[in-house]
mmCIF file of all heavy atoms in Angstrom:
data_model
loop_
_atom_site.group_PDB
_atom_site.id
_atom_site.type_symbol
_atom_site.label_atom_id
_atom_site.label_comp_id
_atom_site.label_asym_id
_atom_site.label_seq_id
_atom_site.Cartn_x
_atom_site.Cartn_y
_atom_site.Cartn_z
ATOM 1 N N CYS A 14 118.806 -2.254 40.924
ATOM 2 C CA CYS A 14 117.576 -2.571 41.693
ATOM 3 C C CYS A 14 116.996 -1.342 42.371
ATOM 4 O O CYS A 14 115.775 -1.107 42.302
ATOM 5 C CB CYS A 14 117.918 -3.656 42.700
ATOM 6 S SG CYS A 14 116.463 -4.405 43.446
ATOM 7 N N TYR A 15 117.852 -0.507 42.957
ATOM 8 C CA TYR A 15 117.383 0.690 43.584
ATOM 9 C C TYR A 15 116.719 1.662 42.577
ATOM 10 O O TYR A 15 115.603 2.145 42.816
ATOM 11 C CB TYR A 15 118.491 1.403 44.330
ATOM 12 C CG TYR A 15 118.102 2.703 44.997
ATOM 13 C CD1 TYR A 15 117.408 2.677 46.209
ATOM 14 C CD2 TYR A 15 118.316 3.928 44.382
ATOM 15 C CE1 TYR A 15 117.002 3.890 46.818
ATOM 16 C CE2 TYR A 15 117.870 5.126 44.982
ATOM 17 C CZ TYR A 15 117.211 5.057 46.178
ATOM 18 O OH TYR A 15 116.792 6.243 46.774
ATOM 19 N N GLU A 16 117.389 1.870 41.471
ATOM 20 C CA GLU A 16 116.869 2.753 40.456
ATOM 21 C C GLU A 16 115.476 2.316 39.949
ATOM 22 O O GLU A 16 114.568 3.065 39.788
ATOM 23 C CB GLU A 16 117.852 2.915 39.257
ATOM 24 C CG GLU A 16 119.143 3.601 39.590
ATOM 25 C CD GLU A 16 119.062 5.111 39.642
ATOM 26 O OE1 GLU A 16 117.943 5.673 39.601
ATOM 27 O OE2 GLU A 16 120.116 5.738 39.725
ATOM 28 N N ALA A 17 115.400 0.994 39.683
ATOM 29 C CA ALA A 17 114.178 0.422 39.130
ATOM 30 C C ALA A 17 113.055 0.438 40.198
ATOM 31 O O ALA A 17 111.870 0.740 39.883
ATOM 32 C CB ALA A 17 114.433 -1.001 38.645
ATOM 33 N N GLU A 18 113.387 0.174 41.446
ATOM 34 C CA GLU A 18 112.412 0.242 42.522
ATOM 35 C C GLU A 18 111.860 1.689 42.644
ATOM 36 O O GLU A 18 110.645 1.883 42.799
ATOM 37 C CB GLU A 18 113.018 -0.239 43.840
ATOM 38 C CG GLU A 18 112.035 -0.186 44.970
ATOM 39 C CD GLU A 18 112.600 -0.665 46.307
ATOM 40 O OE1 GLU A 18 113.774 -1.092 46.351
ATOM 41 O OE2 GLU A 18 111.855 -0.584 47.314
ATOM 42 N N ILE A 19 112.736 2.661 42.625
ATOM 43 C CA ILE A 19 112.302 4.033 42.733
ATOM 44 C C ILE A 19 111.399 4.405 41.569
ATOM 45 O O ILE A 19 110.421 5.104 41.738
ATOM 46 C CB ILE A 19 113.558 4.975 42.803
ATOM 47 C CG1 ILE A 19 114.363 4.748 44.045
ATOM 48 C CG2 ILE A 19 113.125 6.479 42.686
ATOM 49 C CD1 ILE A 19 113.567 4.907 45.363
ATOM 50 N N ASN A 20 111.749 3.882 40.369
ATOM 51 C CA ASN A 20 110.844 4.166 39.211
ATOM 52 C C ASN A 20 109.452 3.580 39.449
ATOM 53 O O ASN A 20 108.489 4.233 39.088
ATOM 54 C CB ASN A 20 111.445 3.562 37.958
ATOM 55 C CG ASN A 20 112.538 4.469 37.376
ATOM 56 O OD1 ASN A 20 112.742 5.563 37.822
ATOM 57 N ND2 ASN A 20 113.272 3.954 36.422
ATOM 58 N N LEU A 21 109.364 2.421 40.088
ATOM 59 C CA LEU A 21 108.012 1.830 40.387
ATOM 60 C C LEU A 21 107.299 2.790 41.373
ATOM 61 O O LEU A 21 106.044 2.989 41.193
ATOM 62 C CB LEU A 21 108.172 0.479 41.037
ATOM 63 C CG LEU A 21 108.599 -0.695 40.137
ATOM 64 C CD1 LEU A 21 108.788 -1.970 40.956
ATOM 65 C CD2 LEU A 21 107.653 -0.900 38.993
ATOM 66 N N VAL A 22 107.965 3.292 42.355
ATOM 67 C CA VAL A 22 107.304 4.167 43.312
ATOM 68 C C VAL A 22 106.864 5.501 42.697
ATOM 69 O O VAL A 22 105.750 5.949 42.916
ATOM 70 C CB VAL A 22 108.281 4.448 44.513
ATOM 71 C CG1 VAL A 22 107.723 5.524 45.463
ATOM 72 C CG2 VAL A 22 108.555 3.181 45.295
ATOM 73 N N ILE A 23 107.756 6.088 41.890
ATOM 74 C CA ILE A 23 107.463 7.439 41.335
ATOM 75 C C ILE A 23 106.524 7.386 40.149
ATOM 76 O O ILE A 23 105.581 8.194 40.097
ATOM 77 C CB ILE A 23 108.792 8.112 40.906
ATOM 78 C CG1 ILE A 23 109.674 8.381 42.097
ATOM 79 C CG2 ILE A 23 108.489 9.383 40.122
ATOM 80 C CD1 ILE A 23 111.072 8.913 41.701
ATOM 81 N N HIS A 24 106.761 6.482 39.226
ATOM 82 C CA HIS A 24 106.084 6.542 37.896
ATOM 83 C C HIS A 24 104.979 5.560 37.679
ATOM 84 O O HIS A 24 104.210 5.754 36.721
ATOM 85 C CB HIS A 24 107.127 6.384 36.807
ATOM 86 C CG HIS A 24 108.215 7.401 36.801
ATOM 87 N ND1 HIS A 24 107.996 8.755 36.522
ATOM 88 C CD2 HIS A 24 109.521 7.321 37.142
ATOM 89 C CE1 HIS A 24 109.126 9.392 36.646
ATOM 90 N NE2 HIS A 24 110.103 8.569 37.007
ATOM 91 N N ALA A 25 104.863 4.519 38.491
ATOM 92 C CA ALA A 25 103.937 3.470 38.164
ATOM 93 C C ALA A 25 102.760 3.443 39.170
ATOM 94 O O ALA A 25 102.779 4.141 40.191
ATOM 95 C CB ALA A 25 104.599 2.097 38.186
ATOM 96 N N TYR A 26 101.796 2.629 38.912
ATOM 97 C CA TYR A 26 100.643 2.452 39.840
ATOM 98 C C TYR A 26 100.913 1.301 40.750
ATOM 99 O O TYR A 26 100.013 0.548 41.113
ATOM 100 C CB TYR A 26 99.355 2.183 39.021
ATOM 101 C CG TYR A 26 99.020 3.218 37.959
ATOM 102 C CD1 TYR A 26 98.432 2.829 36.765
ATOM 103 C CD2 TYR A 26 99.233 4.590 38.200
ATOM 104 C CE1 TYR A 26 98.110 3.819 35.805
ATOM 105 C CE2 TYR A 26 98.905 5.510 37.240
ATOM 106 C CZ TYR A 26 98.336 5.135 36.073
ATOM 107 O OH TYR A 26 98.030 6.085 35.116
ATOM 108 N N GLY A 27 102.152 1.138 41.109
ATOM 109 C CA GLY A 27 102.587 -0.009 41.938
ATOM 110 C C GLY A 27 102.994 -1.123 41.047
ATOM 111 O O GLY A 27 102.842 -1.128 39.850
ATOM 112 N N GLY A 28 103.680 -2.092 41.671
ATOM 113 C CA GLY A 28 104.142 -3.226 40.922
ATOM 114 C C GLY A 28 104.876 -4.261 41.744
ATOM 115 O O GLY A 28 104.781 -4.258 42.995
ATOM 116 N N LYS A 29 105.560 -5.176 41.102
ATOM 117 C CA LYS A 29 106.292 -6.230 41.754
ATOM 118 C C LYS A 29 107.697 -6.309 41.284
ATOM 119 O O LYS A 29 108.014 -5.989 40.138
ATOM 120 C CB LYS A 29 105.568 -7.589 41.525
ATOM 121 C CG LYS A 29 104.248 -7.739 42.264
ATOM 122 C CD LYS A 29 103.817 -9.181 42.207
ATOM 123 C CE LYS A 29 102.632 -9.310 43.144
ATOM 124 N NZ LYS A 29 102.370 -10.664 43.571
ATOM 125 N N ILE A 30 108.559 -6.815 42.198
ATOM 126 C CA ILE A 30 109.952 -7.129 41.861
ATOM 127 C C ILE A 30 110.114 -8.621 42.056
ATOM 128 O O ILE A 30 109.710 -9.137 43.133
ATOM 129 C CB ILE A 30 110.911 -6.331 42.779
ATOM 130 C CG1 ILE A 30 110.713 -4.872 42.579
ATOM 131 C CG2 ILE A 30 112.358 -6.741 42.470
ATOM 132 C CD1 ILE A 30 111.527 -3.990 43.549
ATOM 133 N N PHE A 31 110.709 -9.283 41.078
ATOM 134 C CA PHE A 31 110.989 -10.704 41.118
ATOM 135 C C PHE A 31 112.472 -10.900 41.093
ATOM 136 O O PHE A 31 113.168 -10.373 40.225
ATOM 137 C CB PHE A 31 110.317 -11.433 40.004
ATOM 138 C CG PHE A 31 108.844 -11.287 39.884
ATOM 139 C CD1 PHE A 31 108.278 -10.197 39.134
ATOM 140 C CD2 PHE A 31 107.979 -12.066 40.556
ATOM 141 C CE1 PHE A 31 106.907 -10.031 39.038
ATOM 142 C CE2 PHE A 31 106.635 -11.928 40.502
ATOM 143 C CZ PHE A 31 106.075 -10.882 39.712
ATOM 144 N N LEU A 32 113.000 -11.665 42.051
ATOM 145 C CA LEU A 32 114.414 -12.001 42.107
ATOM 146 C C LEU A 32 114.575 -13.484 41.891
ATOM 147 O O LEU A 32 113.861 -14.303 42.535
ATOM 148 C CB LEU A 32 114.972 -11.612 43.438
ATOM 149 C CG LEU A 32 116.321 -12.235 43.870
ATOM 150 C CD1 LEU A 32 117.432 -11.713 43.031
ATOM 151 C CD2 LEU A 32 116.593 -12.064 45.355
ATOM 152 N N ASP A 33 115.456 -13.887 40.990
ATOM 153 C CA ASP A 33 115.856 -15.278 40.796
ATOM 154 C C ASP A 33 117.332 -15.405 40.743
ATOM 155 O O ASP A 33 118.011 -14.691 40.027
ATOM 156 C CB ASP A 33 115.254 -15.837 39.538
ATOM 157 C CG ASP A 33 113.768 -16.162 39.674
ATOM 158 O OD1 ASP A 33 113.478 -17.179 40.327
ATOM 159 O OD2 ASP A 33 112.909 -15.365 39.191
ATOM 160 N N LEU A 34 117.861 -16.307 41.613
ATOM 161 C CA LEU A 34 119.261 -16.686 41.538
ATOM 162 C C LEU A 34 119.311 -18.023 40.831
ATOM 163 O O LEU A 34 118.716 -18.995 41.307
ATOM 164 C CB LEU A 34 119.864 -16.761 42.961
ATOM 165 C CG LEU A 34 121.317 -17.307 42.990
ATOM 166 C CD1 LEU A 34 122.276 -16.354 42.254
ATOM 167 C CD2 LEU A 34 121.725 -17.421 44.488
ATOM 168 N N MET A 35 119.995 -18.026 39.705
ATOM 169 C CA MET A 35 120.054 -19.236 38.933
ATOM 170 C C MET A 35 121.229 -20.146 39.373
ATOM 171 O O MET A 35 122.175 -19.675 39.967
ATOM 172 C CB MET A 35 120.213 -18.892 37.445
ATOM 173 C CG MET A 35 119.202 -17.865 36.959
ATOM 174 S SD MET A 35 117.497 -18.255 37.315
ATOM 175 C CE MET A 35 117.198 -19.514 36.096
ATOM 176 N N ASP A 36 121.124 -21.421 39.093
ATOM 177 C CA ASP A 36 122.186 -22.338 39.525
ATOM 178 C C ASP A 36 123.491 -22.129 38.873
ATOM 179 O O ASP A 36 124.544 -22.620 39.355
ATOM 180 C CB ASP A 36 121.727 -23.833 39.371
ATOM 181 C CG ASP A 36 121.380 -24.205 37.918
ATOM 182 O OD1 ASP A 36 121.613 -23.398 37.025
ATOM 183 O OD2 ASP A 36 120.874 -25.323 37.759
ATOM 184 N N ASP A 37 123.560 -21.326 37.834
ATOM 185 C CA ASP A 37 124.871 -20.960 37.194
ATOM 186 C C ASP A 37 125.444 -19.681 37.788
ATOM 187 O O ASP A 37 126.463 -19.202 37.318
ATOM 188 C CB ASP A 37 124.735 -20.891 35.652
ATOM 189 C CG ASP A 37 123.870 -19.722 35.226
ATOM 190 O OD1 ASP A 37 123.312 -18.994 36.032
ATOM 191 O OD2 ASP A 37 123.717 -19.550 33.980
ATOM 192 N N GLY A 38 124.782 -19.117 38.802
ATOM 193 C CA GLY A 38 125.253 -17.880 39.444
ATOM 194 C C GLY A 38 124.666 -16.618 38.858
ATOM 195 O O GLY A 38 124.933 -15.511 39.388
#
């Protein structure tokens, strides 16, 4: 998550992160 978030900050024009916890864990 940290590596991907940093990539959004450095390399992209902004973006979103979506988190889902599924009922199977």
Side-chain angles (χ1 to χ4, degrees):
C14 193
Y15 178 79
E16 294 279 11
E18 180 180 357
I19 295 302
N20 282 349
L21 289 176
V22 171
I23 294 173
H24 301 291
Y26 304 144
K29 288 194 171 199
I30 300 174
F31 302 91
L32 163 69
D33 283 285
L34 175 61
M35 310 308 285
D36 59 7
D37 67 358

